[in-house]
Amino acid sequence: MNARRDLAEAVRELASAVAVTDVDDPDLAQAAASARELTKLLRERQLEDVPRTPYDEAVGATHYGWHLDNPALPGLTMVFEDGRATATIPDGLGKAYAGPPGKLHGGVGALLLDVLLSSLVQHHGVRAVTASLTVDYRAATPLDVPLRITGEIVGRSGRKVETVGALWCGEVATVEARGLFVQVG
C-alpha cells in the first residue's frame, strides 16, 4: 500500500472512531488539537484536485480502484468481468457512514451504486456522466458486515447507456438502482 492510501485508510478509521467516541472533553480537545496540527502539516503542499485513476488506465483494467486515496469516501476496488462489475467491502462500512442506528445511511448506498455503475460504463470505453439514478431501498443495510455491490449494462442507444445494480448484504439486495449515463466529449 502506498503512503497516501495508507493515510486515507487511517483517516477513515479515525472518522469511524470519532463517530462513536465517548472520551472526556479534555481528551476530545487534545484530539482536536492533534488533528489540526496534522491538517496544518498536510496543507503545506496541496494538489489542485483529488487524485484519480486516469481514464485511460481505468478503461480496460480488470481491477480498478475508485477514490482509494480520498479518505472522505469509502474506497472501493472493483472487478470487471463479462460486462459486469463487482466490488466487495469485506469489513462493511463503519459508523462514520451511519444513518438510522446501526444502519447505513441511504445516501451512501446510492453513492456506492453510482460509483460502481459509472465505473462499469467507463470500463467499457464510454466517457460518461450520470444523467439519472433511480434508487429503491429494499431493506436496511447493516453497518460493519461484509457487503457486495454488483452492476451490469442492460442497454445502449446512441450516447445513452442504461445500467442496473444492487448493494448486497449476504443474499439480500438491500438497495437496487437503475442508472442512465450519457456520453460526453
Side-chain angles (χ1 to χ4, degrees):
M1 181 179 299
N2 68 38
R4 179 181 297 276
R5 192 153 303 146
D6 189 38
L7 175 60
E9 185 57 34
V11 171
R12 287 185 196 109
E13 291 169 9
L14 175 62
S16 287
V18 168
V20 294
T21 191
D22 194 26
V23 299
D24 294 331
D25 284 351
D27 291 331
L28 289 174
Q30 179 184 357
S34 295
R36 287 191 178 93
E37 281 299 312
L38 290 172
T39 301
K40 181 180 173 185
L41 169 71
L42 296 173
R43 283 193 173 146
E44 288 178 4
R45 286 185 32 209
Q46 293 197 320
L47 303 169
E48 290 190 26
D49 196 5
V50 176
R52 303 170 197 277
T53 301
Y55 177 81
D56 293 339
E57 287 179 34
V59 171
T62 52
H63 290 78
Y64 171 53
W66 177 80
H67 287 302
L68 296 172
D69 299 335
N70 185 341
L73 303 167
L76 291 179
T77 299
M78 293 167 268
V79 177
F80 303 102
E81 238 180 329
D82 299 327
R84 295 190 167 112
T86 304
T88 56
I89 307 171
D91 298 323
L93 293 173
K95 292 172 180 62
Y97 299 103
K103 307 298 181 197
L104 186 69
H105 189 287
V108 176
L111 169 75
L112 293 171
L113 283 158
D114 184 39
V115 166
L116 184 91
L117 296 173
S118 63
S119 296
L120 174 62
V121 169
Q122 292 197 38
H123 170 77
H124 282 86
V126 181
R127 194 181 300 251
V129 295
T130 308
S132 70
L133 185 72
T134 304
V135 180
D136 293 312
Y137 298 95
R138 302 292 183 197
T141 306
L143 297 172
D144 300 314
V145 300
L147 300 172
R148 180 172 44 97
I149 311 155
T150 60
E152 66 181 294
I153 294 173
V154 294
R156 184 158 183 194
S157 175
R159 295 177 41 228
K160 297 178 181 179
V161 180
E162 295 177 68
T163 62
V164 295
L167 174 63
W168 298 85
C169 178
E171 297 304 312
V172 176
T174 60
V175 184
E176 295 176 343
R178 181 172 277 293
L180 175 66
F181 298 85
V182 176
Q183 187 171 3
V184 295

